[in-house]
Each structure stands twice: as structure tokens, then as C-alpha cells.
Amino acid sequence: MGLPKIGIGMDCAVIPIRHGGGLVLIQTVDYFYPLVDDPYIMGKITCANVLSDLYAMGVTDCDNMLMILGVSQKMTDKERDVVVPIIMRGFRDCATEAGTQITGGQTVQNPWLTIGGVATSICQPSEYIIPDNAVVGDVLVLTKPLGTQVSSISYQWLEQSDRWARIKLVVTEDDVRKAYLRSMDSMSRLNRVASRLMHKYNAHGATDVTGFGLLGHAQNLARVQKNEVSFVIHNLPVIAKMAAVAKACGNMFQLLQGHSPETSGGLLICLPREQAAAYCKDIEKQEGYQAWIIGIVEKGSRSARIIDKPRVIEVPAKEKDGELW
Amino acid sequence: MGLPKIGIGMDCAVIPIRHGGGLVLIQTVDYFYPLVDDPYIMGKITCANVLSDLYAMGVTDCDNMLMILGVSQKMTDKERDVVVPIIMRGFRDCATEAGTQITGGQTVQNPWLTIGGVATSICQPSEYIIPDNAVVGDVLVLTKPLGTQVSSISYQWLEQSDRWARIKLVVTEDDVRKAYLRSMDSMSRLNRVASRLMHKYNAHGATDVTGFGLLGHAQNLARVQKNEVSFVIHNLPVIAKMAAVAKACGNMFQLLQGHSPETSGGLLICLPREQAAAYCKDIEKQEGYQAWIIGIVEKGSRSARIIDKPRVIEVPAKEKDGELW
């Protein structure tokens, strides 16, 4: 039985190593630009986002991370000396939380600030899940709410009165600040428990939701399936109030159409129907965060779609004083 | 016996893997900006430069490479569609030449064009050489000539009459064009044979010469030695005419002081004295390129220096019609 070669396009590179024993090299590189104004949280988000590609393949143990930084030339020496170590500390703390370490990396000067990393794991066959085993009757689970881009941008609009005018009829400043905090919390959270539970509940495949939005990643996952299946999404869990913001902006964010890019989003997982509820309960018990059954796997031609009027699930359902979720 | 931990600072990260058997993960990330105007050659140089960090540790087999690209927003669509695939082809061809493959990577938009990659190898202990075993009596060998930065910049000066005026008394336009071709040829050449021969001739350690210049890298290598040694450099092999250019520019390039940055430079290797000549002969036989004994290992406090009036070796010693070297 040959090892399926997962090339560029799915979440990680999977390479059989020369020294045999069934070990494979699984690795990913990711870098991008800051989208929150707290450098410590930005470091954590970056690390969580890089590791997420391993977690999507069921790989819970990362052997090493490299850090990739581009320091903006437009920073003053003081800004650089303060901000860069804080970003690095956030990245490092998140790596420690993930049980891994950062050994190696590179820093260059660049017009824009760039942050990223490389995550590498050497795995035995039991440690990873090739994401191509969805069968008709499976359901789709999502482990983090959508709306990170909408919340980051609407937070920026607090300072731009013309943009703010577009959405101020549907949200308060406080709603936006809270959504922004929720989004930072969500983006800096590791998908590691979600990944570990994929093994326990016999997941048939997964991907993480990032730059292509929920539907884009669902389509990528559908395309690589061995069986003739398609994914139908019925429910969209969204950070509270962000669906209203997206609607108020017309089609600009494409959130409810599934195209709004997410950063360090959740895992989208194909699970046997009878295991999915237990999976969601277990993740909530271990982490205190919800996961949702958002769709079903039907017979089809390896595509994915969102139904016409999907149900929007506000996350959290109710505001609780002094609590985020 | 513990495995020495080579952290950030030497050429690669070296990490024992969870699945034991003495296997280690050796990896490196490198990215930078184009410095030659041929995108195909630039792709090759980038790949050779990334792999060079593995080769410096005696690692001749790379299990996988990831490619990292930042595509300049300032390019027109047409420029992008033409140039980026050519860079990628150069990178890929060089990887094939090195017996490895590119599976994975990331491309982002960026103000500047950036190119780089990640090289990863999983090795048995016999496959790598921890570079800390230099002993008094060893000699230092360098496998590529210096002067890549000087030749790239003086080539740019052909178009800038005020800058050109600084050096036109010591070189002709033809000298500069030839040095530029030699520099491109040198930078895109793999250090793989040099690395393989390190095993055959019992090298005690090595590093590759890049951004910190010859002396900077020699000092880094000296600092990690187990024995109380120091490195003394007597000879500087330099791409023909580039020493004259450097002298004509005063201290600007710091070439003869050992600080001129090199891109994809040669390996600087500590070899037992009785093996060094054979090493150089072998590399010349296999590749048709010279290598040079450039210094000695003395008793000392883990530092490196260039003697007061080092001998400059012009490379090649004589111009041959229609030949680069």
C-alpha cells in the first residue's frame, strides 16, 4: 500500500524518510502579517496558526519549530527593541504550551512586519490521519467560531468614522471590542486537543480553516476524498454580532457565503455520525470551548456547499458579565 | 554521551526525534532578496544557499524542501506571471540536482520580492558532523572564492556613472561583467561534493560563508570549539579583480578584512593537515573547481583572525578565452 502523497495544497507536506521504519516527515511553513495590535498575542496567534496545519492532520506532537521574522524598517530602533522580543515571547510561550520548542529561524529586514514559522514532526503511521476517508453519513464538525477577519476589521473601524457609520446601527462599540477580544482568544488557542480527539473518535479527515474561508477549505478537503462524497454545510457558528456586521456591509466580507478569510481558525473535521456529539462534548469538557456539528457528508462529486439560508449560531449564545465565552 | 545541542547561531537546528534509534532532525530556514538580475539563476542561488547550511554539517541528503516566496506588489501582473515561475523553476532544478524535492511552501504578497526555503533532513549519527572538533595543527580550507557582494555591486555600478568613476581606474567593464558571471556561477553551485568529501577526509568541523563574511563565520566556528584553539587566516581567494575593486573603494566593502557578506559562499572546513591537500585535489577532480588552504588552527581562546597582510589569490589565476574558471 503506497503512502498517499499530500503535496502543496493540503495542509502539510508528507514525505517518507530515507531511514524507513514507516516514519514520515510532516511539515508546514506559514507566514503573514500582524492583524491584532497586541504583539504578545500576535506571537501566540502566529505559532498557533503554524501548528494548526499539523493538528489538522492529527499530528499532536511537533518535534521542532523554526521562527521566521521580517522586521519593518519603518520601526524606530526603540519600537523594534520593544516589540520584536514581545512577539517572540508570545510565539515561544505558545510553543511551550504546545509541548514543543523553537530551535532555529531567521530574521530579515522588510518594509512590512512579517511573522511566521515552520513546524516539523517525524511520525509513525498511527500518529497522523490522511484526510481522505470521508463516507456518506459522516457529519462535519467545526471547532472554533468564524468571524476573525470581520471582528479585526470592524475593530479598526472604531477609529474611522466613515467606515464605522456603515455598521453602527447594528453593533455598539462595546460589541465590537468584545468580538475583537473573542477573536484574539480564539486565534491564539491551539487546535491540539481538537487534534488529539480526532484519533479517539475515529475522524475520517480534517483541515484547518484559514485564508480561503470555511467554504474554500471545505472544498479543498472534499476534492481529495477517495469516496464520491460532497459536503453540505447547514450551520455557521459566528463570533457574536459579527454576522450582523457582515450583513450590514452587504457582500463585502462574504462571511455567510463562507469566503471570509480566517486566521488560525478551527479544525473542520469529518466524523462518523455516531461519534460527533461525543467529540463535541469531550472538547467542551477538556477545554471549556464549544464545537459544533455544522454539516453532513452526502453522496456527490467531491465538492462542498453552504445551503441557501444557513442557520447562524451566535457564539456565545448569551453574554455573561465578565466572561468572554 | 549527550548530543551537543546546536541552537540558533550555528548553521542548522539539530533535534533528537521522539522515535529514537539515534535519528536526529536537522533543519534550516533562509530567505532574502534577489541580488542578480536573472530570475532563473536567482532561484538556483536561493536553493543552493538554503541547502548549504545542511552541507556545512556534512549532511548530504535533504529529505524535503519548502519554498518561501514573497511576490512584490509593485510587479505588474505580467511581470509576476513571467518572473515568479522562472524563479521557481531555478529553485526546483537546483533541488533536483541536489537529489531532493520541494513539497510544500508558501507564497505571500510583499512590498519587496523575497525568496527562500526550508531544508530538512532526518539523519543517523554517521551522516552529520558536529563542527566542534578542531585541533591544533589542523588547517582551514575554503571551497569557493570570496567577492560575491563586491562583484554584484560593481556590476550595478556599470549603470551609475558617479559610482563607476570610483573603480574604473582599476577594472574594465569587461572585468566587471566577467566577475559578475563568475559570482553567479559560484553562488548557484552546490556545496554538496564539498560536504561529501568532509566525511572522506575526516573533517573536524565546518561552516558556510554567508552574511557575516569569511571572518564572521570563522569566529562563529571558533567560538563553538571544544578544544582551546584559534583560527588564523593567511590567504584570501577572491574572484578575479574584485580585490582591486575593494581596495579602490577604501574600507567600504571590508572584503580583505573578512567582513564582506557573501551569498551562497563556500564551506570553511577544519581538516587534519595531512588530509587537506588531498581534499582540495579531490574536489577539483570531481567538480573542476579549486579549493584552497587558507589558514591554520593554533592554540588559542576560540577566536579567529586574518593576518596583517593576507595573500590575495586571484581566481582564476589567469584568464582563459571563453572560459569562466
Side-chain angles (χ1 to χ4, degrees), chain A residues 13 41 63 104 114 175-176 198 212 238 264 271 282 291:
Chain A
I41 301 290
D63 285 287
T114 68
D175 290 335
V176 168
M198 280 169 56
F212 299 122
V238 177
S264 192
L271 280 163
D282 208 340

Side-chain angles (χ1 to χ4, degrees), chain A residues 8 13 18-19 27 30-31 33 63-64 68-69 73 103-104 106 109-112 120-122 124 127, chain B residues 8 13 15 18-19 27 30-31 33 63-64 68-69 73 103-104 106 108-112 120-122 127:
Chain A
I8 299 169
R18 288 167 292 130
H19 297 298
Q27 61 178 181
D30 208 355
Y31 75 114
Y33 305 100
D63 285 287
N64 192 46
I68 305 174
L69 282 177
Q73 308 162 293
T103 306
Q106 198 193 9
Q109 283 224 325
N110 195 58
W112 293 348
T120 301
S121 187
I122 291 97
Q124 291 171 329
E127 288 181 275
Chain B
I8 299 167
I15 316 285
R18 288 166 294 130
H19 298 296
Q27 62 178 181
D30 208 356
Y31 75 114
Y33 306 99
D63 285 285
N64 191 46
I68 306 174
L69 282 177
Q73 307 163 292
T103 305
Q106 199 194 8
V108 299
Q109 282 226 323
N110 194 59
W112 293 348
T120 302
S121 187
I122 292 96
E127 288 182 273

Side-chain angles (χ1 to χ4, degrees), chain A residues 10-311:
Chain A
M10 279 308 288
D11 299 309
C12 289
V14 179
I15 315 285
I17 68 171
R18 288 167 292 130
H19 297 298
L23 293 176
V24 298
L25 167 65
I26 299 188
Q27 61 178 181
T28 181
V29 56
D30 208 355
Y31 75 114
F32 50 101
Y33 305 100
L35 74 169
V36 301
D37 53 15
D38 180 325
Y40 180 76
I41 301 290
M42 196 57 231
K44 290 191 80 167
I45 292 170
T46 306
C47 181
N49 193 52
V50 173
L51 285 168
S52 183
D53 287 324
L54 294 187
Y55 296 147
M57 293 205 56
V59 175
T60 57
D61 292 304
C62 173
D63 285 287
N64 192 46
M65 296 191 80
L66 306 171
M67 200 188 298
I68 305 174
L69 282 177
V71 176
S72 172
Q73 308 162 293
K74 287 161 200 159
M75 288 173 131
T76 63
D77 287 1
K78 186 158 180 200
E79 283 168 343
R80 189 192 60 222
D81 292 351
V82 171
V83 170
V84 174
I86 297 176
I87 293 174
M88 291 174 76
R89 189 156 50 82
F91 194 115
R92 217 168 266 279
D93 284 357
C94 182
T96 302
E97 192 188 326
T100 186
Q101 61 184 348
I102 296 140
T103 306
Q106 198 193 9
T107 305
V108 300
Q109 283 224 325
N110 195 58
W112 293 348
L113 187 62
T114 68
I115 41 185
V118 179
T120 301
S121 187
I122 291 97
C123 293
Q124 291 171 329
S126 63
E127 288 181 275
Y128 59 91
I129 298 169
I130 299 289
D132 61 0
N133 283 307
V135 297
V136 172
D138 280 355
V139 298
L140 299 171
V141 164
L142 182 67
T143 67
K144 289 183 186 179
L146 306 168
T148 55
Q149 189 204 36
V150 181
S151 66
S152 302
I153 292 179
S154 47
Y155 179 76
Q156 290 165 18
W157 288 358
L158 289 177
E159 310 295 324
Q160 301 170 41
S161 55
D162 53 328
R163 306 288 179 96
W164 177 244
R166 288 195 200 177
I167 59 173
K168 71 179 180 189
L169 293 177
V170 299
V171 280
T172 65
E173 287 196 23
D174 192 53
D175 290 335
V176 168
R177 280 182 216 285
K178 214 150 186 183
Y180 179 67
L181 289 174
R182 285 179 173 131
S183 146
M184 286 200 290
D185 185 67
S186 181
M187 292 188 287
S188 55
R189 175 183 157 213
L190 293 170
N191 284 325
R192 196 179 189 205
V193 172
S195 180
R196 196 179 290 131
L197 293 177
M198 280 169 56
H199 293 273
K200 181 170 174 189
Y201 294 99
N202 304 303
H204 290 155
T207 189
D208 63 330
V209 178
T210 55
F212 299 122
L214 174 65
L215 185 58
H217 290 284
Q219 285 166 339
N220 287 344
L221 186 60
R223 198 175 305 129
V224 299
Q225 294 310 307
K226 283 190 302 203
N227 300 311
E228 289 184 349
V229 292
S230 72
F231 299 161
V232 185
I233 295 167
H234 296 259
N235 303 326
L236 299 176
V238 177
I239 292 170
K241 308 284 164 48
M242 293 303 104
V245 167
K247 278 182 199 161
C249 296
N251 284 325
M252 175 182 161
F253 290 110
Q254 291 273 307
L255 177 66
L256 304 182
Q257 292 71 38
H259 301 301
S260 183
E262 305 290 341
T263 298
S264 192
L267 298 188
L268 173 68
I269 311 171
C270 298
L271 280 163
R273 185 195 300 261
E274 59 282 10
Q275 312 247 32
Y279 178 95
C280 294
K281 239 178 245 163
D282 208 340
I283 214 171
E284 190 163 356
K285 194 176 123 200
Q286 289 195 39
E287 293 201 287
Y289 290 92
Q290 270 188 284
W292 303 267
I293 295 174
I294 65 160
I296 55 173
V297 177
E298 295 182 346
K299 194 163 167 50
S301 55
R302 302 186 180 89
S303 61
R305 66 185 176 92
I306 297 176
I307 61 163
D308 213 17
K309 289 188 176 154
R311 183 166 72 101

